[in-house]
Amino acid sequence: MTVNVVEGAAEGGAEGTAQAAAATRRDERATDRRRIAEGLHELRTPLATIRGSLETLRTAGSDLPASIRDDLLALALRNAIRLGSRLDTLADAERMHEPATWLRPVRHSLAQIVQRTTSDCADLLAEHALVVDVPDDLQVSVDAEALVHVLSTLLDNATRHSPPGTTVRVGATRLADLARVEVRDDGPGISPEQLPQVFAALHGDSGPVDPVASLGLGVVRRFVEASGGAVHLRVRPDEGTTVRFTLPLAAGG
């Protein structure tokens, strides 16, 4: 079974539609504020892992085999990267409600942004195989820092929800005047029971138990919509999850 969840920018123009959209934004902001408060508590898990690894290295490091010391350092580093990504999500959750006030889209090489992101996330991806297929000639009009965060969020989700040793893929293709980007994992996919929660997160409603993951999906959606694109979630149970989104090509790109 394949399930597609499609979420794009809202259309409208009539007064009733505008009022409904404003009410939706207010509800989303209230939901996000609640999730931010909850998410601060969820940061204890990666922080505890970092602390535990470092305390073990401090107290018993000289007595441990080198392979175990390396594993503890790698574990601490992965969780530090994940903690940083989640802090970025909490910081961006509120300001993404007013993206026009801070997004600064300019011409960028999509391949270079993907390369920068995967390099930053190298330790996060250490237990997965990474396949990147992004043409060098795709030039997009985006805020580079925001796009790096969006891609980091999706890579974080992919590595957390797929077993070590599986493949995470980042690809992009040209689609008329848009670039279509996708991040795909080979994990178990999203079960039918979980799908309504993920769909709710894309809408900004109450969603997954993990409030930061839910906030992250909301940040992804709002960034893509503010950039003139749309988000598509493709789910194949037992065959992984694909998040696809579109971005406008730069003039001549």
Side-chain angles (χ1 to χ4, degrees):
M1 176 181 67
T2 299
V3 181
N4 288 282
V5 178
V6 179
E7 181 67 17
E11 296 181 358
E15 182 178 352
T17 301
Q19 292 176 348
T24 298
R25 287 194 296 272
R26 287 195 297 270
D27 290 344
E28 284 189 351
R29 179 164 283 174
T31 299
D32 279 0
R33 285 172 176 164
R34 187 189 74 244
R35 285 179 179 155
I36 288 170
E38 295 170 352
L40 289 172
H41 293 285
E42 297 298 324
L43 299 181
R44 291 177 297 180
T45 299
L47 185 59
T49 301
I50 296 167
R51 180 176 179 178
S53 299
L54 294 178
E55 286 181 344
T56 301
L57 287 167
R58 185 185 66 175
T59 58
S62 60
D63 298 324
L64 295 173
S67 60
I68 294 180
R69 291 200 302 269
D70 289 344
D71 287 345
L72 286 170
L73 284 170
L75 179 63
L77 186 54
R78 282 197 302 274
N79 277 273
I81 294 169
R82 183 159 286 138
L83 181 61
S85 175
R86 295 194 145 209
L87 285 169
D88 286 343
T89 294
L90 293 174
D92 281 349
E94 175 65 19
R95 64 177 185 161
M96 265 300 182
H97 288 282
E98 303 292 342
T101 63
W102 67 277
L103 283 180
R104 298 293 180 265
V106 296
R107 183 187 183 95
H108 289 284
S109 163
L110 181 58
Q112 289 181 4
I113 292 179
V114 170
Q115 182 181 30
R116 171 187 163 188
T117 307
T118 55
S119 178
D120 290 347
C121 296
D123 290 286
L124 195 66
L125 293 158
E127 295 184 335
H128 293 76
L130 174 67
V131 175
V132 177
D133 183 14
V134 179
D136 291 333
D137 62 345
L138 282 182
Q139 302 287 320
V140 291
S141 179
V142 294
D143 184 300
E145 296 303 318
L147 180 54
V148 167
H149 181 205
V150 163
L151 290 170
S152 297
T153 297
L154 296 179
L155 289 173
D156 182 14
N157 287 345
T159 57
R160 282 191 298 113
H161 297 296
S162 59
T166 57
T167 301
V168 174
R169 295 173 174 83
V170 182
T173 56
R174 187 185 301 269
L175 190 66
D177 59 348
L178 298 171
R180 185 175 70 183
V181 185
E182 72 173 36
V183 177
R184 179 159 65 95
D185 65 59
D186 290 337
I190 299 171
S191 69
E193 293 76 18
Q194 294 173 313
L195 189 61
Q197 296 179 332
V198 177
F199 186 61
L202 284 172
H203 272 292
D205 304 327
S206 58
V209 174
D210 184 340
V212 183
S214 178
L215 283 166
L217 286 172
V219 168
V220 169
R221 175 176 62 86
R222 293 182 195 116
F223 164 77
V224 171
E225 290 180 353
S227 299
V231 181
H232 305 256
L233 177 67
R234 188 179 187 187
V235 180
R236 290 182 174 179
D238 301 321
E239 295 184 27
T241 301
T242 301
V243 179
R244 289 177 179 157
F245 60 93
T246 53
L247 295 170
L249 291 174

